[in-house]
Amino acid sequence: MKNIISIIALVLLSFTMKAQDTLKLKNGTKVLGAVTEVSSSEVKFRKTADGPIYVMHKDEIASISYQNGMEEVFDNTSSSSSSSSNTNSGSSNSSANNESKKIGNYNGNDEGFTTGKKHYGGPRIGMTAISDGTISKSIGTNVISQFGWQFETRFFTVDNGSSGLFEFVPMLGGLERGAFLPSASALIGFRTGSGYEIGCGPNLSRSGFGMVFAGGASFQMGHVCFPVNIAFQPNISKSYTSASYDYVTGQYTEHTQKLNSGFRLSLLIGFNARSN
């Protein structure tokens, strides 16, 4: 059982070591994101897979280190010297240039600091390790497969790429064992601009009502996101009371039995596409 948990943790760790492009600014700041376009005067990039496009002038950038290991170094001395030769016209254009140089210029359709709701969805597959308890005893194993779907609503996305989430995840487990183990989770969570996320919420399964705690990361390929998540559901303990009658003494005796479902640790992967 410990080996299974260790393997799941190592798989998640390997996935979460996600590479990104790094913009090194002349003031020493480093900005992480995915560069989408490099023109003669500007660099465009996203901080998240479906986030807004940010625009930055090359004058502010010292170099770009791409996730494939390549590095691009910029030499903007000529552009800066030519701009200083035009004093009168330069002062009038300075404010316009500075405005366009600000990090966070958003070229999308959403307005303001936050964007509206976005809905996503996609399939989920994975495996669940179950500690000893009533569930593992009934199906005769400590590891089962999982199949399901994730419905995701992003309530807001701020300009640094972070977003607030609501996720509903129905799953069906144990089919390879001929078992029918449905479950459903509703999670409130938060995803950072770099794609890492955490969340928690109620879970309903054959064991009853409980809580689920989840974390993971999302990876982008084109316009599709590929999430990798680990979910932990604590043990659900229930007590059952029965009574037996003693014909000799004529008295009833109560017996209390405590049953544990066993905790569950799941590794899930899949993909998400925007539905509207």
Side-chain angles (χ1 to χ4, degrees):
M1 185 64 197
K2 291 182 179 179
N3 292 334
I4 295 173
I5 297 174
S6 300
I7 292 172
I8 293 177
L10 288 173
V11 171
L12 179 67
L13 182 62
S14 65
F15 273 108
T16 54
M17 298 295 291
K18 178 174 59 174
Q20 288 183 299
D21 300 330
T22 302
L23 286 77
K24 299 177 183 178
L25 308 187
K26 291 183 177 179
N27 61 8
T29 304
K30 292 184 179 181
V31 180
L32 299 179
V35 176
T36 60
E37 181 182 343
V38 178
S39 66
S40 58
S41 60
E42 294 178 336
V43 174
K44 297 181 180 180
F45 63 96
R46 295 179 186 270
K47 292 184 179 180
T48 57
D50 61 338
I53 295 177
Y54 296 86
V55 181
M56 186 180 294
H57 270 242
K58 280 186 174 180
D59 295 341
E60 296 181 278
I61 304 173
S63 64
I64 300 177
S65 297
Y66 295 98
Q67 57 179 299
N68 61 7
M70 296 181 62
E71 185 174 11
E72 186 174 4
V73 180
F74 300 109
D75 181 10
N76 302 308
T77 55
S78 59
S79 61
S80 59
S81 60
S82 62
S83 61
S84 61
S85 63
N86 237 337
T87 319
N88 294 331
S89 62
S91 59
S92 61
N93 293 330
S94 176
S95 58
N97 287 338
N98 288 337
E99 182 66 27
S100 64
K101 289 179 183 179
K102 289 181 180 178
I103 301 175
N105 287 344
Y106 178 47
N107 297 333
N109 296 323
D110 296 310
E111 297 179 355
F113 181 71
T114 61
T115 61
K117 289 184 179 180
K118 297 178 182 178
H119 301 278
Y120 296 79
R124 291 292 179 274
I125 62 172
M127 57 181 290
T128 296
I130 310 171
S131 66
D132 293 337
T134 56
I135 298 179
S136 60
K137 184 178 180 180
S138 64
I139 60 178
T141 183
N142 291 98
V143 180
I144 59 173
S145 64
Q146 293 282 5
F147 298 90
W149 197 271
Q150 179 184 9
F151 300 90
E152 177 182 306
T153 298
R154 300 183 191 179
F155 289 104
F156 64 86
T157 302
V158 298
D159 63 353
N160 67 0
S162 301
S163 55
L165 312 172
F166 172 77
E167 298 177 353
F168 177 68
V169 188
M171 301 293 294
L172 191 60
L175 294 180
E176 79 286 356
R177 303 286 300 186
F180 183 76
L181 301 174
S183 66
S185 301
L187 300 96
I188 298 295
F190 181 80
R191 181 178 292 126
T192 67
S194 56
Y196 299 100
E197 62 184 66
I198 57 172
C200 65
N203 169 265
L204 175 63
S205 66
R206 201 170 99 175
S207 305
F209 282 101
M211 287 290 293
V212 59
F213 304 90
S218 295
F219 306 87
Q220 178 193 8
M221 185 177 294
H223 296 288
V224 182
C225 292
F226 296 86
V228 179
N229 296 101
I230 277 186
F232 175 73
Q233 295 155 286
N235 171 67
I236 299 176
S237 181
K238 294 181 179 180
S239 297
Y240 296 90
T241 301
S242 60
S244 60
Y245 179 74
D246 191 331
Y247 290 94
V248 177
T249 61
Q251 295 180 345
Y252 284 94
T253 303
E254 289 187 350
H255 304 276
T256 301
Q257 184 181 14
K258 191 175 183 180
L259 298 178
N260 296 316
S261 66
F263 71 82
R264 287 167 285 170
L265 185 63
S266 302
L267 172 64
L268 303 174
I269 61 175
F271 60 83
N272 274 355
R274 187 172 177 181
S275 57
N276 61 18

